[in-house]
Amino acid sequence: DGGITQSPKYLFRKEGQNVTLSCEQNLNHDAMYWYRQDPGQGLRLIYYSQIVNDFQKGDIAEGYSVSREKKESFPLTVTSAQKNPTAFYLCASSNEGRGGMNEQFFGPGTRLTVL
Amino acid sequence: AQKITQTQPGMFVQEKEAVTLDCTYDTSDQSYGLFWYKQPSSGEMIFLIYQGSYDEQNATEGRYSLNFQKARKSANLVISASQLGDSAMYFCAMREGRNTGFQKLVFGTGTRLLVSP
């Protein structure tokens, strides 16, 4: 079955530690995204990547880093510089092209809690 | 200025009844796309329906339809014959510049729908 997997589902981190959230897709999509969701809020874009070895900052990139070495994978690192990292993190992917719907497909999410 | 506004934090509906979830948007682009996503308690975002700004007819997808009023900049989601499994958060999102390659999505704050027996 094609889809997006994220791991782990739950992650606990001590203050001052970096953690990496995994995101893998087998949909053959070119574009991948990371969003953050806080309670009672919509999704906010952290980083996105349209193609391998290229990525761009979203609206709230400070304290986060990403890599895109393979088409299928787009891991997100939450660094110690992120002041308030406790949140729900969602990864998504889509085909991107001019015109068309190009809806984003989402993974099941990772809930990060800083202790 | 907020791009997507969902004014209903919560909505209640009885099973088998129809419900409308409101969404208004703000854009100066002529070309844009509007999406609705469902987020159950499990957390995953599920794509429901899409409306392009140049689409002449309102989008429909099974029990979901989109009441698109371009002049009023509204894109309300209508769920007919509600089911208990429809209880979830619903998010409206907009993508600007439909014909310019990559376009990021901007999400509203969501509406929590509860369907009662």
Side-chain angles (χ1 to χ4, degrees), chain B residues 21-85:
Chain B
L21 306 183
D22 294 343
C23 173
T24 57
Y25 58 92
D26 181 27
T27 181
S28 56
D29 279 5
Q30 297 301 309
S31 176
Y32 51 90
L34 296 156
F35 300 77
W36 277 92
Y37 282 86
K38 172 184 178 181
Q39 187 179 40
S41 57
S42 59
E44 185 171 349
M45 298 284 282
I46 302 167
F47 166 72
L48 296 178
I49 196 166
Y50 168 81
Q51 180 85 41
S53 59
Y54 293 121
D55 295 339
E56 293 185 353
Q57 293 194 341
N58 286 346
T60 60
E61 197 70 50
R63 295 187 298 111
Y64 304 109
S65 60
L66 203 151
N67 184 0
F68 181 47
Q69 298 187 41
K70 196 170 182 176
R72 301 176 71 176
K73 294 188 176 178
S74 75
N76 298 339
L77 176 70
V78 181
I79 305 175
S80 63
S82 297
Q83 301 172 356
L84 295 178

Side-chain angles (χ1 to χ4, degrees), chain A residues 9 33 35 37 40-43 45 48 50 59 88 90 96-108, chain B residues 35 37 39 41-47 49-50 91 95 98-105 107-110:
Chain A
K9 189 172 178 65
Y33 317 78
Y35 292 92
Q37 185 178 27
Q41 300 294 317
L43 279 64
L45 184 64
Y48 63 93
Q50 292 178 263
D59 299 320
F88 188 55
L90 284 157
E96 288 296 327
R98 296 180 183 275
M101 186 161 52
N102 295 336
E103 75 271 28
Q104 294 184 14
F105 294 84
F106 285 80
Chain B
F35 300 77
Y37 282 86
Q39 187 179 40
S41 57
S42 59
E44 185 171 349
M45 298 284 282
I46 302 167
F47 166 72
I49 196 166
Y50 168 81
F91 290 93
R95 182 178 63 201
R98 180 181 178 189
N99 294 314
T100 59
F102 175 81
Q103 314 102 37
K104 72 174 187 180
L105 282 181
F107 286 82
T109 53

